[in-house]
Amino acid sequence: MIKVHCFVSCVCEAVKKTEGADHRPYYFGVWDADFDVLDNGVLTYHSKRIDHDFFHQWYEMLYGIKLYRWYDEKRSKQENINKLLSLLENKKHQQYVMVMLDLSKLPERENKFHQSPFPHYVMLEMTGNEEEWFMYDPDFRWEGSLPKERILAAIEDPSAEGGYFFDAANIIPPSAETVEAYFNTCIKLDCNPMTDAVGKIVDLYSSGSENYPLSGLTFALRELPVLAIRKYAYEHAFAFFWDSLGYEEEGFEAWCNEIEKLVKGYTVIQYRAMKLAMTGNLGLKNEISLKLDELNILEFKIKQGLQKSFEAWIKLQRSQNIKEAIL
Amino acid sequence: MTREEILLALYDIMQHQLELPSMAAFHEDARLNEDLYMDSIMILQLILHLEVDLGFDIPDEMLVPKDFRTVGSLADFLNRLQKPVTAEASYD
């Protein structure tokens, strides 16, 4: 699976291990998942204003699994670590303990974004060796044993605050009605929030304001790659509908190419913004606007294509229901 | 620029502009991501210096670079990129 969203990838791990339960609908919420633009005009995937409540609630509604938030921001780090230790000691086979840590504190791990700090959700288990813990990082498709002290040091970082616990013993496949409601909640056919935000940030930093110097634009958009890859979530949705509808593989591949074009388009935006910051050549602003317009059109096209396959899927579900009622 | 000069220029940008802490691993076969620990933004910074400081004209599609896996493959790409210019120059 492609790295898309660490919280989503962690809770999906249990779904993927359950026969008959499909994790792909859960990704509907990822393509326009929350991000923040801080007061200093910096785009970020993680801030105090962002929580995972939306994904938390829908995980429970889709798969019938209760997610418990064990981390309490009001308590001290040590108290939270004590809670973590007790959860790990008492953990049963189908239970999962998620914790947020600063991935940059574990440099032997692949960290293609080289962000520091890099708040990131992983799952933990104890091992036969008291000094080592087993760490699952489904988002980066990595798992292995690491020294317990090193993991604890990464959890202790002030940038990382969060943790969930869940029991996947009674997971249920999502009903068509819940999938329909979730899709309708997630699809934003009239706006592309991230593209809009990038446009506003570029305007802000090229407005000549002392508070937002042009040279700061590179930093302001440095997390764009982390957010851009969320657009791969469209692939999961197309794949889900395509499989259900029995459509030709070729059509799916064509949408994947469009999604790839969209994700790569943000690299071009980021590059031009960095060039604008480095050279001060305001002519580049126009090039950025043109590319943003192009990406907006492309993403609306992807959303419309998805909406169309969703509607065909709804029709199929309804006709199957009628058939079942008659027979 | 010869391929050798391109390699020296790459070393210079990585050492002095990007200040990569992993320069001990610099070698033709060094992978930009896995060996030199360059993330996607650092690679964009490198390309930016190649364009702005050295005058290479890198097309948009190369910003997500399959050819940029190693220092050597990047040098080969840049070498190929300047070929038409060389041909034009010799024509003049």
Side-chain angles (χ1 to χ4, degrees):
Chain A
M1 188 169 58
I2 308 156
K3 189 231 169 293
V4 175
H5 192 294
C6 62
F7 177 92
V8 170
S9 297
C10 276
V11 295
C12 267
E13 185 69 4
V15 181
K16 284 195 285 176
K17 284 181 179 162
T18 308
E19 213 172 311
D22 198 322
H23 66 281
R24 294 173 298 183
Y26 191 47
Y27 278 82
F28 295 167
V30 174
W31 53 70
D32 280 332
D34 284 348
F35 57 85
D36 199 5
V37 179
L38 304 176
D39 296 338
N40 59 357
V42 171
L43 182 74
T44 183
Y45 72 95
H46 176 81
S47 84
K48 292 217 178 291
R49 287 186 289 218
I50 298 175
D51 57 38
H52 294 100
D53 288 354
F54 177 82
F55 286 113
H56 181 160
Q57 286 162 11
W58 277 102
Y59 187 65
E60 294 181 354
M61 287 197 273
L62 284 162
Y63 301 106
I65 300 176
K66 181 88 187 133
L67 260 177
Y68 298 94
R69 197 187 202 145
W70 61 262
Y71 195 97
D72 184 350
E73 285 90 353
K74 290 188 197 83
R75 291 183 183 271
S76 70
K77 214 36 150 181
Q78 193 50 54
E79 284 173 304
N80 276 300
I81 286 174
N82 291 344
K83 176 79 185 165
L84 171 71
L85 290 170
S86 123
L87 286 169
L88 289 174
E89 275 162 16
N90 298 303
K91 194 184 96 56
K92 294 191 180 74
H93 176 58
Q94 280 175 306
Q95 294 175 335
Y96 292 83
V97 180
M98 281 167 67
V99 65
M100 192 195 284
L101 46 70
D102 174 9
L103 195 63
S104 67
K105 293 274 187 309
L106 300 169
E108 66 273 50
R109 289 285 328 284
E110 182 187 31
N111 174 3
K112 282 190 181 173
F113 299 107
H114 286 279
Q115 308 271 7
S116 181
F118 190 167
H120 183 67
Y121 273 112
V122 296
M123 296 193 285
L124 297 175
E125 267 180 25
M126 287 182 159
T127 66
N129 180 349
E130 267 196 24
E131 304 301 313
E132 280 190 347
W133 278 351
F134 193 73
M135 191 166 115
Y136 294 86
D137 182 354
D139 208 29
F140 279 108
R141 284 180 286 185
W142 187 91
E143 57 181 47
S145 293
L146 286 172
K148 175 182 154 186
E149 291 308 316
R150 304 266 331 281
I151 296 177
L152 283 171
I155 295 169
E156 277 167 19
D157 191 274
S159 70
E161 287 189 314
Y164 292 87
F165 170 81
F166 62 98
D167 191 324
N170 299 312
I171 194 165
I172 49 156
S175 71
E177 289 76 17
T178 319
V179 171
E180 180 183 347
Y182 185 49
F183 184 88
N184 283 325
T185 306
C186 295
I187 192 84
K188 293 174 182 164
L189 293 169
D190 56 355
C191 69
N192 297 314
M194 193 183 82
T195 305
D196 293 345
V198 171
K200 282 182 191 153
I201 291 169
V202 173
D203 285 344
L204 194 64
Y205 280 86
S206 52
S207 64
S209 158
E210 267 183 33
N211 294 333
Y212 304 101
L214 203 50
S215 58
L217 190 54
T218 298
F219 184 79
L221 294 180
R222 81 192 165 117
E223 289 188 8
L224 190 54
V226 184
L227 293 171
I229 51 173
R230 291 179 173 179
K231 303 298 177 189
Y232 283 121
Y234 288 120
E235 282 189 15
H236 290 286
F238 274 110
F240 174 72
F241 293 131
W242 242 246
D243 283 354
S244 306
L245 291 160
Y247 283 175
E248 294 286 324
E249 182 76 12
E250 214 174 283
F252 172 69
E253 294 294 334
W255 281 117
C256 287
N257 290 339
E258 297 295 273
I259 295 158
E260 188 73 18
K261 220 190 281 173
L262 177 68
V263 175
K264 286 181 176 170
Y266 291 112
T267 308
V268 176
I269 297 286
Q270 185 166 31
Y271 183 73
R272 288 185 186 163
M274 286 166 69
K275 203 168 170 180
L276 173 59
M278 187 179 174
T279 63
N281 173 9
L282 285 169
L284 287 160
K285 205 189 149 190
N286 192 38
E287 283 185 33
I288 296 171
S289 300
L290 289 173
K291 192 72 192 175
L292 284 171
D293 290 345
E294 190 187 309
L295 292 190
N296 252 330
I297 292 167
L298 178 58
E299 191 163 7
F300 282 132
K301 181 181 153 190
I302 292 168
K303 284 179 172 176
Q304 287 295 345
L306 198 55
Q307 177 72 19
K308 217 173 140 191
S309 52
F310 166 69
E311 282 161 13
W313 179 81
I314 290 289
K315 219 170 149 185
L316 178 73
Q317 299 305 315
R318 303 256 152 90
S319 67
Q320 278 173 351
N321 285 349
I322 292 168
K323 260 189 220 163
E324 277 170 26
I326 294 169
L327 297 172
Chain B
M1 287 171 98
T2 64
R3 191 173 180 280
E4 196 62 30
E5 285 167 338
I6 290 171
L7 283 170
L8 286 172
L10 288 173
Y11 185 89
D12 188 58
I13 295 170
M14 289 179 188
Q15 170 86 311
H16 297 110
Q17 308 286 346
L18 308 185
E19 296 176 356
L20 285 189
S22 49
M23 285 309 283
F26 185 92
H27 184 270
E28 267 203 51
D29 298 329
R31 294 164 298 176
L32 300 185
N33 182 241
E34 294 90 336
D35 301 323
L36 293 172
Y37 295 105
M38 293 180 77
D39 66 3
S40 60
I41 297 183
M42 291 173 184
I43 293 176
L44 289 185
Q45 280 171 332
L46 170 66
I47 299 171
L48 201 48
H49 284 288
L50 290 167
E51 270 208 317
V52 176
D53 302 342
L54 297 177
F56 283 100
D57 189 11
I58 317 265
D60 281 354
E61 59 271 21
M62 294 314 296
L63 297 176
V64 188
K66 286 197 184 81
D67 283 352
F68 295 2
R69 190 163 161 68
T70 64
V71 170
S73 61
L74 172 57
D76 288 338
F77 166 75
L78 294 170
N79 204 20
R80 283 197 304 275
L81 197 66
Q82 61 176 1
K83 284 261 164 69
V85 179
T86 314
E88 203 178 299
S90 63
Y91 182 76
D92 286 345

